[in-house]
Amino acid sequence: MDGETKITPWEVTTTTGIDYLKLIREFGCEPIDGKLVRRFERVTRMKAHPWLRRGIFFSHKDLNLALDAYERGEEIYLYTGRGPSSESLHLGHMVPFMFTKYLQDAFDAVVIIQMTDDEKYYFKEKLTLDEANRLAKENAKDIIACGFTLEKTWIFSNLETVGGSLYRTIVQVMRQTSGNLIKGIYGLDLNNSIGQLSWPCFQAAPAFSTAFSNVFGDQHVQCLVPMAIDQYPYFRMARQIAEKLGYKKPATIQSRFLPSLEQVHDKASSTGSKEVIFMNDSHDAVSRKIREKAFSGGGLTRQEHVEKGANLTVDVPYHYLLYFLDNDNELRDIAREYGSGRMMTSEIKKKTIEVVWNVVREHQEARRLVTSEIVQQYMDPNRSFDHSRRHREIGELSEEDQHLGFHFDPYFRHVP
Ligand code: TRP
């Protein structure tokens, strides 16, 4: 990237805003277009998730491998993960998990979730092993609250699990990974600890089903990895190594970053100074943060706003609606009214507070039901997993639904 933008799996900083198309080119992955969205709908018989239709999951690599396999009646599995660095997840952390839950339903797929307590121990100076492991289990509650099907989901902590088939696959990956490759892909060097240098092998290996003999026996099952785009380098590496090992290359699907409240072109982060919405925030906190901190693209004065309208491309409340307001018609109306200056900043913020609080409140209700015993059930490796596929009979998609695809312009520039 240029001098002012830095994107690694551990750090995203930018002064100029993230150029996602440039990022795709640099990473060597592909944009998701309307054709692919429609194929997804045809093959899975599920209406595309708003995040697919709205360009939030905007990039992929070989998604067709997963669709092909599913179309042939073969099993695919989903793999994603979480580095437990904070007590509660924030809204941005939830995006890949909420989407993975949707994909679990779309593909009837087994989901494997890696809790990387080891990674956070290597990369966060002050974190102890015990604390990292404790946070992994706390965070698992937030993840389970997304509604993953117990019989089809395994959540594991690396600290507790590495060994057996997982370690065998890691060892195979390690033998194929030179120090130069690590340096080239991640910018790590000999000043980094061995733990940090070897880390990428631990994140890449679960993209091969051989890592999970408790779930897949010795079957080679096609993997699909949903993630935020900063994690892609691991899977670029996994795909290279797959060739050498004779394993199936993982397919991937990547999202943009949910903006922080202060700036559209920023990534929400729980460790930085940026204001973000945590999933355990109260209604008052959510409402105060959005009212006081959310950057507005509205006019500075009422008169200016009425004359020129709002700049949707930099407006944070509008971006949060793009993520969390499912109703396309309502979103389109807001874009038109606010964009033209007929709707005021205070009104869109009010709407955003309502929509975001709804997501947070529903999450809190679901999470309250997740006890430590339930976490243990999800983390139990010694049980049978459900590989069955439901027969899904979903009516033809409506004209309108089919039309959204990639033609959906999030800024509604064509709306008068
Ligand atoms: N490294 C990721 C994080 O810090 C966690 C992770 C592990 C992950 N395996 C993954 C993310 C696979 C996406 C896909 O949050």
Side-chain angles (χ1 to χ4, degrees):
M1 300 296 301
D2 47 64
E4 287 150 298
T5 298
K6 190 171 168 203
I7 297 185
T8 73
W10 305 285
E11 192 186 4
V12 176
T13 51
T14 177
T15 50
T16 50
I18 299 162
D19 182 342
Y20 284 104
L21 290 179
K22 195 166 151 203
L23 198 55
I24 289 185
R25 250 180 282 124
E26 282 179 10
F27 281 173
C29 40
E30 314 291 332
I32 291 178
D33 61 13
K35 214 171 126 210
L36 187 58
V37 172
R38 277 190 294 277
R39 172 155 197 241
F40 177 93
E41 292 185 325
R42 238 183 356 290
V43 171
T44 62
R45 298 166 148 261
M46 283 272 268
K47 182 176 172 180
H49 191 284
W51 295 343
L52 266 178
R53 308 197 311 265
R54 295 178 189 173
I56 285 165
F57 274 80
F58 73 111
S59 161
H60 77 107
K61 189 76 187 181
D62 279 348
L63 181 59
N64 278 315
L65 286 179
L67 293 170
D68 292 347
Y70 185 80
E71 206 169 31
R72 288 194 298 266
E74 292 167 16
E75 176 175 16
I76 71 159
Y77 78 103
L78 303 164
Y79 159 49
T80 190
R82 156 90 191 143
S85 58
S86 56
E87 198 73 32
S88 170
L89 273 66
H90 65 58
L91 214 46
H93 292 142
M94 296 300 288
V95 168
F97 293 108
M98 291 162 83
F99 192 68
T100 302
K101 167 58 193 158
Y102 163 82
L103 291 179
Q104 176 169 60
D105 293 341
F107 290 112
D108 282 323
V110 165
V111 171
I112 306 261
I113 299 170
Q114 180 185 48
M115 305 302 288
T116 63
D117 30 21
D118 50 353
E119 175 193 14
K120 290 298 147 179
Y121 177 67
Y122 295 142
F123 286 93
K124 280 197 79 180
E125 250 167 52
K126 296 220 174 82
L127 198 61
T128 64
L129 273 176
D130 284 339
E131 180 65 358
N133 186 239
R134 187 187 71 78
L135 289 176
K137 293 188 178 173
E138 265 322 287
N139 288 184
K141 293 181 184 165
D142 282 312
I143 293 168
I144 291 166
C146 292
F148 291 100
T149 312
L150 174 61
E151 295 75 20
K152 283 181 171 290
T153 306
W154 188 35
I155 304 177
F156 69 95
S157 129
N158 272 355
L159 285 177
E160 294 171 13
T161 309
V162 171
S165 62
L166 177 54
Y167 189 53
R168 289 174 72 103
T169 305
I170 291 167
V171 165
Q172 288 177 308
V173 169
M174 287 216 187
R175 182 154 92 170
Q176 302 295 342
T177 306
S178 70
N180 279 326
L181 184 75
I182 295 294
K183 187 175 173 209
I185 298 187
Y186 307 95
L188 301 177
D189 62 30
L190 291 180
N191 294 311
N192 288 94
S193 71
I194 296 293
Q196 292 174 335
L197 291 169
S198 64
W199 166 251
C201 300
F202 288 78
Q203 180 156 342
F208 306 125
S209 62
T210 52
F212 306 111
S213 63
N214 60 324
V215 184
F216 302 111
D218 56 7
Q219 299 281 87
H220 287 249
V221 180
Q222 173 68 49
C223 179
L224 170 62
V225 190
M227 70 190 109
I229 184 120
D230 59 332
Q231 301 293 309
Y232 183 70
Y234 294 108
F235 302 101
R236 187 181 199 174
M237 172 176 131
R239 289 168 53 84
Q240 285 171 19
I241 291 171
E243 264 172 29
K244 298 187 187 154
L245 295 174
Y247 289 164
K248 285 181 193 289
K249 281 188 181 179
T252 70
I253 184 161
Q254 293 89 246
S255 72
R256 293 163 189 264
F257 307 122
L258 179 75
S260 74
L261 287 170
E262 277 127 316
Q263 221 212 345
V264 162
H265 299 297
D266 237 355
K267 178 193 173 201
S269 153
S270 51
T271 39
S273 53
K274 297 278 156 36
E275 191 79 84
V276 296
I277 289 168
F278 285 95
M279 299 314 287
N280 61 359
D281 275 349
S282 65
H283 177 267
D284 281 358
V286 169
S287 144
R288 181 185 49 78
K289 285 178 184 180
I290 293 175
R291 260 186 294 111
E292 292 174 13
K293 298 288 160 102
F295 184 84
S296 174
L300 284 179
T301 62
R302 192 182 179 91
Q303 193 191 355
E304 188 190 316
H305 185 73
V306 171
E307 275 169 21
K308 293 199 195 134
N311 178 358
L312 298 181
T313 57
V314 299
D315 194 84
V316 170
Y318 179 66
H319 273 75
Y320 276 55
L321 292 179
L322 211 49
Y323 273 77
F324 298 110
L325 177 59
D326 287 346
N327 186 318
D328 292 322
N329 291 327
E330 218 183 330
L331 186 65
R332 189 177 290 120
D333 288 346
I334 290 173
R336 191 196 307 105
E337 295 302 298
Y338 185 50
S340 66
R342 284 190 293 269
M343 183 182 202
M344 295 293 134
T345 297
S346 60
E347 292 173 84
I348 193 172
K349 285 197 168 183
K350 190 163 161 248
K351 180 71 191 172
T352 305
I353 290 167
E354 182 192 312
V355 167
V356 168
W357 171 245
N358 225 0
V359 174
V360 171
R361 182 182 49 77
E362 276 179 16
H363 176 81
Q364 290 177 358
E365 282 166 13
R367 193 190 195 273
R368 251 194 297 279
L369 303 176
V370 184
T371 59
S372 304
E373 288 73 50
I374 292 177
V375 172
Q376 260 174 28
Q377 288 173 7
Y378 275 87
M379 296 184 81
D380 176 7
N382 301 312
R383 59 196 160 108
S384 56
F385 291 88
D386 174 10
H387 300 271
S388 68
R389 244 158 97 157
R390 289 165 296 159
H391 182 67
R392 213 169 312 111
E393 208 71 69
I394 293 183
E396 280 295 292
L397 296 160
S398 70
E399 282 271 300
E400 188 204 9
D401 289 347
Q402 294 201 24
H403 214 72
L404 286 169
F406 194 62
H407 307 296
F408 189 96
D409 173 356
Y411 304 121
F412 297 96
R413 276 171 286 239
H414 55 282
V415 175

